[in-house]
Amino acid sequence: MTDQLQATTVPVAARSRAATGLGPVALTSLLFGSLLPMLSFFMVNVSLPAIATDLHANAGQLQLVVGCYGIAVATLLVVGGRLGDSFGRRRLFLIGLTGFTVSALICAVAPTIGVLLAARIVQGVSGAAITPQVLASITSLLAGERRSRGMAMFGVANGIGAALGQILGGVLIEADLFGLGWRAVFLVFVPVGVVAIATALRVLPESKAEQAHRVDLVGAALLALTLVLLLLPLTEGRPLGWPLWTWLSLAAVIPATALLGIHQHRAERSGHAPLIPPTVLRLRAMRIGLLLAVGFFSTFGGFMFCFALATQGEAHMTPLEGGLSLLPLAIGFLITSIYAPRLQQRYGAGLILRGWIIQAVGYALLGVVALTLWPHVTPITIGAPLLVGGIGAGLVMVPLIGVVVGQVPPAQAGLGSGILLTSQQTCLALGAATVGTAYLSLASTSWGQGGALAAVAIGIAAISLLMTPITHQLRTSGKGA
């Protein structure tokens, strides 16, 4: 379906050029760059207890270490995609890598939690410049099977970055290189970022849309306002005792969302380029795909946040042990992601349906383990449930990317990737805020951390099953094959 849509919107000559416009080395460079923002998001999870001790941060501030990064990325992803379409994707990719590297250094030397949060916002802005260029370049510079394979590889990179992030974070904290502790989790991105910049300068081709689009700054500001009004009270409400301003902020989300929607409709009717065009959202497969993305990324982000706190809490695992506990999840995701493109040709969107069911089984098993063995769990005892969950996650995430991004023409590749990635980053931050708040609330009661983690895992299993009838609509519409 993706190729049929793109074949009607790209001239034959352009498709021929696209087929050879991105070599293996350049594609590897793009995928490597896309790993950095995802690794940063999840590596931080395992360092949160150490940050709390060193910088005297409370639980709400720890959620903001994750949340403010996610808000910054989510707010500006579509803007980053638009800027890449207009001014050159290679240029925006390099600017983002530079900002990401510099802000990582500031995070590493942050003397207070306030400085760390400010640097995390800058890091999020930089990540918003990096990530849309990856999918946009793949969509615009590759064609046919190579494009499908490139998008699948992007899904693999994202999933592996999410799973390996906490493992690598645990390794770095446990090694305590030069006595840096949690700071090494940020400092490692400095040399890695320099290598990524040098490589991209040498191998990446430039690409941009034939017609430049004006950036919808008003829409971006309204989106930022909506996300802040939603996520800030959800992260800070519980530790502050839910003061009045948190409820007023949550109530203001409704009019802010309405204003954003009105502005997008008016901008599109007047011939301008809205941040998220309503006509794109009217595509049935796009709406269903984004709804599935909300279910997947919000639960995944919330689980990773809770898992890091639980394993280093009552389970008394070291950061390394907590990180290594996720290795089966990473292995399961890697295996299924590699074979997902081939399996998708056979099963279409039915592959996503199977993924939800397998993921539900994995989380349910994890909930049983947490209820029966906690706190005497080890990386081995929780390995099997996480392996099953990782297999299911890989079968959901990789095909989902192609479904959503494939709904827009290659000339607006930055827009399509921006819409998907905005949903991804918004939901990762939303998951850390909502699921994290629920976990922290339950953990402080007689449930304890084991009961709280079990509740989270079983809840995610239930949500996964609820996603199956929605996925079936995508399957019967013929949009996911």
Side-chain angles (χ1 to χ4, degrees):
M1 179 269 174
T2 299
D3 291 338
Q4 292 174 350
L5 172 64
Q6 290 165 338
T8 64
T9 56
V10 185
V12 174
R15 291 202 302 274
S16 177
R17 289 195 301 272
T20 58
L22 194 63
V25 178
L27 177 60
T28 301
S29 174
L30 280 172
L31 294 173
F32 182 72
S34 73
L35 266 176
L36 302 186
M38 188 61 70
L39 279 172
S40 178
F41 189 98
F42 288 100
M43 283 177 73
V44 169
N45 280 337
V46 76
S47 66
L48 291 176
I51 291 174
T53 301
D54 191 24
L55 299 184
H56 309 290
N58 61 38
Q61 290 170 327
L62 292 182
Q63 286 178 285
L64 282 178
V65 171
V66 178
C68 68
Y69 176 85
I71 292 172
V73 176
T75 300
L76 295 173
L77 271 169
V78 178
V79 173
R82 287 289 198 190
L83 290 174
D85 287 344
S86 299
F87 300 107
R89 294 161 187 144
R90 177 180 181 270
R91 179 180 300 175
L92 263 292
F93 186 75
L94 288 167
I95 291 172
L97 282 176
T98 303
F100 188 90
T101 303
V102 173
S103 57
L105 178 60
I106 298 173
C107 287
V109 300
T112 66
I113 187 65
V115 173
L116 177 61
L117 291 176
R120 285 288 283 170
I121 293 173
V122 176
Q123 203 173 31
V125 172
S126 303
I130 296 172
T131 312
Q133 318 316 325
V134 179
L135 270 180
S137 296
I138 290 171
T139 306
S140 62
L141 295 176
L142 296 175
E145 184 180 347
R146 293 186 65 203
R147 181 187 296 137
S148 299
R149 189 162 55 246
M151 287 193 291
M153 291 173 67
F154 175 81
V156 172
N158 268 259
I160 296 304
L164 289 183
Q166 296 190 193
I167 298 173
L168 294 176
V171 170
L172 288 171
I173 294 174
E174 188 79 7
D176 195 22
L177 299 173
F178 308 107
L180 290 171
W182 64 267
R183 298 180 187 275
V185 170
F186 295 103
L187 193 61
V188 70
F189 287 106
V190 177
V192 172
V194 170
V195 171
I197 293 168
T199 304
L201 280 169
R202 289 180 59 87
V203 302
L204 273 190
E206 183 62 280
S207 68
K208 62 175 69 174
E210 294 182 5
Q211 180 180 358
H213 297 281
R214 188 173 66 180
V215 177
D216 181 12
L217 295 179
V218 175
L222 288 172
L223 177 60
L225 174 64
T226 303
L227 292 177
V228 171
L229 289 172
L230 174 64
L231 295 177
L232 186 59
L234 288 176
T235 55
E236 293 297 290
R238 193 196 66 84
L240 294 178
W242 298 103
L244 178 61
W245 71 264
T246 60
W247 298 108
L248 293 176
S249 179
L250 289 172
V253 170
I254 297 175
T257 303
L259 283 175
L260 175 61
I262 292 170
H263 171 74
Q264 298 300 280
H265 281 282
R266 287 180 175 176
E268 190 169 59
R269 283 199 301 267
S270 62
H272 298 145
L275 191 72
I276 304 174
T279 52
V280 174
L281 295 181
R282 291 191 193 106
L283 293 168
R284 186 169 183 266
M286 173 67 83
R287 294 197 309 272
I288 297 173
L290 289 176
L291 184 57
L292 296 176
V294 169
F296 180 82
F297 291 114
S298 58
T299 54
F300 189 78
F303 171 74
M304 288 296 196
F305 177 84
C306 300
F307 187 83
L309 295 181
T311 52
Q312 294 182 57
E314 292 175 354
H316 301 296
M317 292 187 190
T318 65
L320 177 58
E321 290 172 333
L324 288 177
S325 297
L326 290 169
L327 186 58
L329 186 147
I331 293 173
F333 193 100
L334 176 61
I335 293 172
T336 53
S337 295
I338 290 173
Y339 292 102
R342 188 183 307 171
L343 292 171
Q344 189 180 359
Q345 291 180 354
R346 178 176 179 180
Y347 296 107
L351 185 64
I352 303 176
L353 188 68
R354 290 166 172 81
W356 283 120
I357 296 172
I358 295 171
Q359 177 174 277
V361 172
Y363 278 112
L365 289 174
L366 179 62
V368 172
V369 170
L371 284 173
T372 57
L373 298 180
W374 198 269
H376 306 293
V377 293
T378 67
I380 295 176
T381 56
I382 58 179
L386 289 175
L387 176 63
V388 175
I391 291 172
L395 295 178
V396 171
M397 182 175 170
V398 176
L400 191 58
I401 291 175
V403 168
V404 178
V405 177
Q407 302 307 307
V408 296
Q412 292 182 300
L415 172 62
S417 62
I419 291 174
L420 170 65
L421 296 169
T422 295
S423 300
Q424 180 193 67
Q425 293 297 327
T426 299
C427 293
L428 287 173
L430 183 63
T434 55
V435 180
T437 295
Y439 166 82
L440 291 168
S441 299
L442 287 174
S444 62
T445 67
S446 58
W447 284 62
Q449 293 182 344
L453 183 63
V456 166
I458 293 172
I460 294 175
I463 292 172
S464 299
L465 292 177
L466 288 174
M467 292 292 107
T468 57
I470 300 173
T471 308
H472 185 70
Q473 294 182 34
L474 184 66
R475 184 184 184 186
T476 55
S477 71
K479 301 292 184 183

